[in-house]
Amino acid sequence: MSKPLTDQEKRKQISVRGLAGVENVADLKTNFNRHLHFTLVKDRNVATKRDYYFALAHTVRDHLVGRWIRTQQHYYEKDPKRVYYLSLEFYMGRTLQNTMVNLALENACDEAIYQLGLDMEELQDMEEDAGLGNGGLGRLAACFLDSMATLGLAAYGYGIRYEFGIFNQKIVNGWQAEEADDWLRYGNPWEKARPEYMRPVHFYGRVEHHPDGVKWVDTQVVLALPYDTPVPGYRNNIVNTMRLWSAKAPCEFHLKDFNVGGYIQAVLDKNLAENISRVLYPNDNFFEGKELRLKQEYFVVAATLQDIIRRFKASKFGSTEVVRMDLTTLPDKVAIQLNDTHPAMAIPELMRILVDDEKLSWDTAWDITVRTCAYTNHTVLPEALERWPIDLFQNLLPRHLEIIYEINRRHLERITALYPGDYDRLRRMSLIEECGQKKINMAHLCIVGSHAVNGVAQIHSDIIKDTVFKDFYEVDPQKFQNKTNGITPRRWLVMCNPGLAEVIAEKHCAIEDYIRDLSQLKNLLKFVDDDALIRDIAKVKQENKLKFAVHLEEQYKVKINPNSMFDVQVKRIHEYKRQLLNCLHIITLYNRIKKEPNKAWTPRTIMIGGKAAPGYHTAKMIIKLITAIGEVVNNDSVVGDRLKVIYLENYRVTLAEKVIPASDLSEQISTAGTEASGTGNMKFMLNGALTIGTMDGANVEMAEEAGEENLFIFGMRVKDVEALDQKGYDAMEYYNRIPELKQVMDQISGGFFSPGEPDLFKDIVKMLMHHDRFKVFADYEDYIKCQEKVSALYKNTKEWTKMVIHNIAGCGKFSSDRTIAQYAREIWGMEPSLEKIAAPDDPR
């Protein structure tokens, strides 16, 4: 019997990884050794694993630099319209393997590293995640950068280089504990500091009105130091830039006023300015109105706009040498996309530059601003909408407050003309909320100051127009669009699941073709009854499950049954995402197995993972409940390996890349109307998991694309939720009517899962019974029934796998390439292109 192939041998056979030419491999080895030699300091002659990682990273980076320079030169000569994607989050994960995939270097590097006697996966594991995001919004920005480069758009991602990204999560005695994510501790081989482009950013001060214009004076200055990270397109020799700003105190900071306790104290106080880029705020879908956060938002905007205008003025008109001074053409050359309201200050800041500095009239400046800016809305949850207190603004950004007041005055003047005497409408549509403490509604500012407003899935875009922003839609219907989110198939298929990528490539087309045009996956439908394809897809899934099972045993010391269904819910912990509904199902299933231990139950390993915002008490209690249920279930010998519950600690991009390819069932169970889109749902679908979900977010379009009969859809639709709100949701009614639900709730409240502390979960029980905004009980019965269907189908591997093929074949729409092509054509006025540019070693 032939020996099973090693991972390295298996990888070698996979065409998606690029060819390992002999010269290529030899060159890589030479360059690797050169980097290793210069990495090692004279007094150290033994290399560590980290030294090897850095040598490899620098070797791969060498292949980026020539392309990066040539791409930027190409843009300078062609002078295309440029798009600036402004986001306070870029959740990038690791860079090494993604770069190898996009440059078609994976097999050559693999072979070189193997010949040097090293293990590629071990080296890759040395890289820290760039965790500069909380969840969906930040990861979307990262996928978009990949797609913009792949589609040949002259695009720039602008954000903050947080010294500390999203916290690392430890589970201690079943509770979440946070530790700081010191991701830059060992240095970052992928970034390049650009001190020559350092920019001043102003805060505080006061405003002076003179006959010749307005001056913002006596400000405090913080310097913004840019760090550039290359963003390679997929095998097209294009390398775009992500520029992240770091805060630096100016040299004279506080040193002029020695009243701060002398020289030493003045130097120590430099930290105050530099705190702006110290740490990512760890809230997902929740607004915390802190001054430091507003400083972060203005900091990234002010630095970026200076950069945009510098680049606009320096760029040449075709071949002539004239430098552009006429800012009225800005919207022809610049598009600014605001990723949620976090960078909303771009609107008043651009107005300040155009009116105060460039001396344009208000009307001209406003026309330029609106035609340049566009806004993406990411949520309809009221607690997530940014509303900044006016006194905070008055103190921190006095000139911007004046500008916002003037924008609002003119906006309300227009509304008054359209709806004379409708004072309630004026109140609803004002940028300033007057009830109680006066606040600026940043979403209203974004809508008024942008030429396009989009939601991130069809149902979400419809909800925006029908409810939250209905008044604005009635006045400016042409502004409102939909752009359903997508994911990059480079990271989320080729990189994380090469086995599946290869099976697909063998069946119907060259990998390079369908990875650039994911709609070609529909060709798989021709093979839905092909026994060979069914067998191959099931085999890849089984291999991924075995590999992940090994990972779990190493990490958590838990033995799991790889033949069980891997039932996975990974996402931020939030009441609206209803991890609690999953918990109710787990306990129900546990009770049923205990009641009939001899029945042929479909074995399940239920995995839940995700971080809770450190200040979100309910979310932290939910984590404790999940781990407490696991303690009971996993140690019950009657249940055995038919049911296991695992909390996946420290869920992040790199863990997603491992767990998603190994999953059988994807849990997307938010209350209808609450999850704007979701993108994890798309990753599971592309990687051969089936979805159990509500008709919410992009699930609706997934069901449309794959056929609703190929998803496990359950629960209330948006109209049912609205009807229940009208009637009044009464949790007790369900509790009293459904015996299994009553049993489950009595177990939680009676201390069955917390014997040492019977009322540990009283807050959760009280919330579910008396003030559950997300109506968990209302969907319980249908969810349990739907889970029974899942268990039944899982027993029939062939039928299950055919359903998987329908899902993979329906994934084409959910490539971020499609999303970005729509942004480009319908919002930015740019045309995407799949052309390659010449590689640096090609003659031009």
Side-chain angles (χ1 to χ4, degrees):
M1 188 175 148
S2 64
K3 199 166 97 226
L5 296 174
T6 67
D7 268 353
Q8 204 270 339
E9 290 165 331
K10 231 182 256 172
R11 291 202 295 262
K12 235 173 158 167
Q13 297 179 356
I14 292 180
S15 65
V16 303
R17 300 167 69 90
L19 294 169
V22 180
E23 317 79 21
N24 216 348
V25 173
D27 285 350
L28 286 166
K29 284 163 71 178
T30 305
N31 287 327
F32 178 90
N33 282 321
R34 181 172 54 86
H35 279 298
L36 189 62
H37 175 78
F38 287 113
T39 302
L40 291 178
V41 280
K42 286 181 281 293
D43 61 350
R44 209 157 49 89
N45 50 12
V46 182
T48 64
K49 214 176 283 182
R50 180 165 286 106
D51 294 321
Y52 292 130
Y53 160 68
F54 273 99
L56 176 57
H58 285 120
T59 303
V60 170
R61 192 185 66 177
D62 291 342
H63 287 257
L64 278 170
V65 173
R67 291 174 169 89
W68 199 5
I69 291 166
R70 181 166 281 198
T71 301
Q72 299 311 312
Q73 185 138 9
H74 174 76
Y75 293 155
Y76 187 72
E77 289 163 7
K78 291 270 187 292
D79 192 33
K81 186 168 185 179
R82 291 169 157 91
V83 60
Y84 295 95
Y85 196 82
L86 267 62
S87 181
L88 268 89
E89 303 185 19
F90 286 95
Y91 203 172
M92 302 294 283
R94 290 177 178 166
T95 296
L96 174 61
Q97 193 183 356
N98 185 246
T99 304
M100 294 191 299
V101 164
N102 280 12
L103 298 184
L105 282 173
E106 219 178 350
N107 258 340
C109 287
D110 227 16
E111 184 59 28
I113 293 301
Y114 177 70
Q115 289 181 18
L116 291 164
L118 299 167
D119 182 297
M120 177 60 96
E121 287 196 21
E122 279 188 13
L123 299 195
Q124 287 171 347
D125 277 333
M126 295 308 298
E127 183 174 359
E128 300 276 356
D129 272 44
L132 308 185
N134 278 285
L137 174 147
R139 182 55 233 175
L140 185 78
C143 284
F144 279 4
L145 292 183
D146 181 88
S147 286
M148 289 186 292
T150 296
L151 293 177
L153 296 172
Y156 301 77
Y158 273 92
I160 295 176
R161 180 180 177 268
Y162 300 108
E163 197 176 319
F164 297 93
I166 188 66
F167 61 86
N168 285 312
Q169 179 193 57
K170 291 267 189 285
I171 302 295
V172 182
N173 299 321
W175 297 93
Q176 168 175 297
E178 301 89 21
E179 60 181 37
D181 165 41
D182 193 3
W183 72 290
L184 293 168
R185 182 174 44 226
Y186 299 107
N188 173 5
W190 305 106
E191 68 182 9
K192 175 82 184 77
R194 306 299 300 275
E196 66 274 27
Y197 292 118
M198 188 130 61
R199 295 280 168 260
V201 175
H202 297 263
F203 294 101
Y204 304 108
R206 56 194 174 79
V207 182
E208 290 178 351
H209 291 261
H210 300 280
D212 60 333
V214 180
K215 289 201 168 58
W216 180 20
V217 297
D218 296 338
T219 56
Q220 291 183 22
V221 175
V222 176
L223 299 177
L225 171 64
Y227 285 78
D228 287 357
T229 299
V231 179
Y234 183 70
R235 305 184 184 184
N236 62 357
N237 296 319
I238 284 179
V239 181
N240 284 343
T241 301
M242 175 177 67
R243 176 163 286 182
L244 302 180
W245 301 100
S246 184
K248 289 290 277 175
C251 291
E252 70 278 9
F253 186 79
H254 274 204
L255 292 175
K256 47 195 178 306
D257 34 319
F258 262 87
N259 56 357
V260 292
Y263 164 73
I264 297 286
Q265 193 55 46
V267 173
L268 298 185
D269 281 352
K270 284 160 79 77
N271 276 321
L272 272 48
E274 294 169 5
N275 275 338
I276 290 175
S277 56
R278 194 79 67 202
V279 61
L280 167 75
Y281 272 84
N283 304 317
D284 186 76
N285 274 300
F286 184 77
F287 171 59
E288 187 175 357
K290 295 277 193 285
E291 183 181 49
L292 180 62
R293 172 66 175 193
L294 184 55
K295 278 186 175 167
Q296 289 181 340
E297 292 183 354
Y298 179 65
F299 174 76
V300 65
V301 153
T304 300
L305 276 168
Q306 291 179 66
D307 223 26
I308 290 173
I309 284 167
R310 171 192 60 75
R311 199 177 281 117
F312 170 79
K313 286 181 172 180
S315 286
K316 299 188 287 187
F317 267 133
S319 59
T320 63
E321 289 299 321
V322 184
V323 170
R324 263 197 293 256
M325 290 311 294
D326 177 15
L327 282 154
T328 55
T329 63
L330 191 76
D332 304 327
K333 288 294 177 188
V334 170
I336 295 174
Q337 191 67 36
L338 307 176
N339 194 26
D340 213 325
T341 56
H342 313 147
M345 289 305 297
I347 292 166
E349 173 66 5
L350 183 52
M351 285 300 287
R352 187 192 66 77
I353 293 168
L354 296 176
V355 173
D356 295 359
D357 299 348
E358 302 289 337
K359 308 296 185 203
L360 270 57
S361 76
W362 182 278
D363 289 322
T364 304
W366 185 243
D367 177 65
I368 292 168
T369 298
V370 172
R371 286 169 52 217
T372 301
C373 296
Y375 158 57
T376 302
N377 172 274
H378 282 270
T379 182
V380 295
L381 293 182
E383 64 268 35
L385 297 177
E386 293 196 295
R387 297 179 168 97
W388 287 104
I390 265 172
D391 42 20
L392 200 60
F393 253 86
Q394 183 62 261
N395 182 35
L396 190 69
L397 300 167
R399 178 56 182 147
H400 297 78
L401 183 58
E402 290 185 348
I403 290 168
I404 289 168
Y405 277 144
E406 180 60 16
I407 292 170
N408 195 41
R409 188 185 69 75
R410 292 170 179 242
H411 160 60
L412 292 181
E413 212 168 69
R414 177 180 172 225
I415 303 306
T416 304
L418 290 169
Y419 301 94
D422 191 344
Y423 298 113
D424 198 50
R425 182 181 296 263
L426 287 179
R427 182 189 55 74
R428 292 195 310 265
M429 294 185 74
S430 177
L431 308 192
I432 314 293
E433 295 183 359
E434 302 280 0
C435 48
Q437 191 191 20
K438 285 174 88 173
K439 292 181 167 159
I440 301 170
N441 184 314
M442 301 305 272
H444 291 184
L445 173 62
C446 285
I447 296 168
V448 170
S450 298
H451 70 279
V453 176
N454 74 279
V456 289
Q458 191 62 59
I459 187 177
H460 169 232
S461 298
D462 291 342
I463 287 170
I464 280 174
K465 294 190 293 196
D466 297 342
T467 58
V468 236
F469 304 142
K470 183 169 191 275
D471 295 323
F472 293 89
Y473 176 66
E474 285 169 4
V475 174
D476 285 312
Q478 77 293 339
K479 278 190 183 184
F480 288 79
Q481 303 189 21
N482 173 246
K483 296 286 169 280
T484 300
N485 284 162
I487 57 173
T488 170
R490 272 72 65 181
R491 183 175 295 265
W492 297 112
L493 179 60
V494 178
M495 189 183 121
C496 71
N497 203 343
L500 180 58
E502 185 70 2
V503 166
I504 294 168
E506 281 166 0
K507 253 313 155 213
H508 74 98
C509 59
I511 183 94
E512 301 224 2
D513 290 350
Y514 84 84
I515 290 302
R516 274 204 198 83
D517 175 16
L518 208 64
S519 68
Q520 291 183 29
L521 286 177
K522 63 182 176 302
N523 296 337
L524 282 178
L525 286 177
K526 294 188 284 228
F527 304 98
V528 73
D529 294 311
D530 179 325
D531 285 331
L533 179 65
I534 292 169
R535 192 190 56 237
D536 288 346
I537 291 217
K539 179 167 173 269
V540 166
K541 179 62 73 180
Q542 203 48 41
E543 285 171 355
N544 291 339
K545 288 173 72 172
L546 283 163
K547 189 168 182 183
F548 191 64
V550 168
H551 172 76
L552 283 182
E553 269 185 59
E554 288 169 0
Q555 292 293 304
Y556 305 101
K557 312 284 173 259
V558 273
K559 262 236 181 289
I560 56 168
N561 172 7
N563 298 313
S564 65
M565 181 200 307
F566 285 13
D567 170 347
V568 181
Q569 186 178 23
V570 283
K571 52 188 72 240
R572 286 295 290 257
I573 309 299
H574 200 298
E575 287 159 85
Y576 87 84
K577 293 176 186 283
R578 298 202 297 190
Q579 283 90 357
L580 285 171
L581 182 57
N582 197 341
C583 289
L584 299 187
H585 172 247
I586 297 172
I587 300 169
T588 303
L589 196 51
Y590 171 76
N591 290 337
R592 288 180 177 185
I593 295 171
K594 291 285 280 184
K595 195 175 169 190
E596 302 183 75
N598 298 321
K599 209 174 140 185
W601 298 99
T602 304
R604 288 199 192 215
T605 302
I606 300 176
M607 307 183 216
I608 304 178
K611 292 173 183 175
Y616 189 175
H617 171 254
T618 306
K620 291 187 141 180
M621 287 308 303
I622 291 169
I623 292 174
K624 178 60 177 173
L625 177 62
I626 298 162
T627 56
I629 293 167
E631 281 296 305
V632 171
V633 170
N634 299 346
N635 294 303
D636 192 318
S637 54
V638 175
V639 174
D641 68 358
R642 292 179 291 187
L643 181 59
K644 290 280 181 238
V645 180
I646 292 175
Y647 200 88
L648 295 173
E649 186 176 276
N650 202 31
Y651 180 64
R652 59 200 187 282
V653 174
T654 294
L655 186 53
E657 290 161 5
K658 293 180 167 73
V659 68
I660 291 172
S663 301
D664 292 306
L665 186 67
S666 160
E667 301 264 358
Q668 308 296 337
I669 57 180
S670 54
T671 312
T674 63
E675 187 73 89
S677 167
T679 43
N681 47 2
M682 303 167 188
K683 293 163 193 171
F684 282 101
M685 185 182 186
L686 183 58
N687 281 278
L690 296 182
T691 301
I692 183 167
T694 50
M695 277 298 200
D696 198 18
N699 297 357
V700 177
E701 290 159 81
M702 287 162 52
E704 238 166 70
E705 296 295 305
E708 195 173 328
E709 69 281 6
N710 294 308
L711 279 79
F712 296 99
I713 298 290
F714 72 94
M716 297 179 289
R717 312 302 203 248
V718 168
K719 60 178 179 354
D720 303 314
V721 176
E722 286 168 356
L724 190 50
D725 278 327
Q726 286 300 304
K727 179 185 143 214
Y729 167 67
D730 175 17
M732 291 307 289
E733 188 260 312
Y734 300 90
Y735 171 82
N736 290 319
R737 182 168 56 74
I738 308 164
E740 281 188 301
L741 175 59
K742 182 178 192 304
Q743 183 190 1
V744 168
M745 289 308 296
D746 291 349
Q747 286 169 297
I748 297 172
S749 61
F752 183 85
F753 298 103
S754 52
E757 217 178 321
D759 60 355
L760 180 61
F761 300 116
K762 66 173 188 304
D763 289 355
I764 285 184
V765 171
K766 196 172 143 193
M767 183 272 288
L768 285 173
M769 300 289 244
H770 303 295
H771 39 88
D772 175 10
R773 295 166 58 202
F774 303 105
K775 306 177 177 64
V776 171
F777 291 1
D779 278 339
Y780 169 82
E781 250 181 319
D782 203 18
Y783 181 54
I784 300 296
K785 282 203 190 89
C786 198
Q787 288 282 20
E788 290 167 13
K789 289 185 200 157
V790 173
S791 290
L793 187 67
Y794 191 74
K795 284 180 154 57
N796 185 339
T797 306
K798 185 170 181 178
E799 289 307 311
W800 178 278
T801 307
K802 283 165 81 163
M803 202 179 272
V804 164
I805 294 167
H806 277 282
N807 273 266
I808 297 171
C811 272
K813 177 177 184 176
F814 305 109
S815 168
S816 46
D817 297 346
R818 185 271 316 154
T819 310
I820 287 298
Q822 288 183 324
Y823 275 95
R825 295 187 177 116
E826 298 164 25
I827 298 180
W828 304 330
M830 301 166 75
E831 191 51 40
S833 150
L834 286 175
E835 261 180 272
K836 283 189 182 183
I837 64 169
D841 38 11
D842 292 350
R844 302 195 68 167

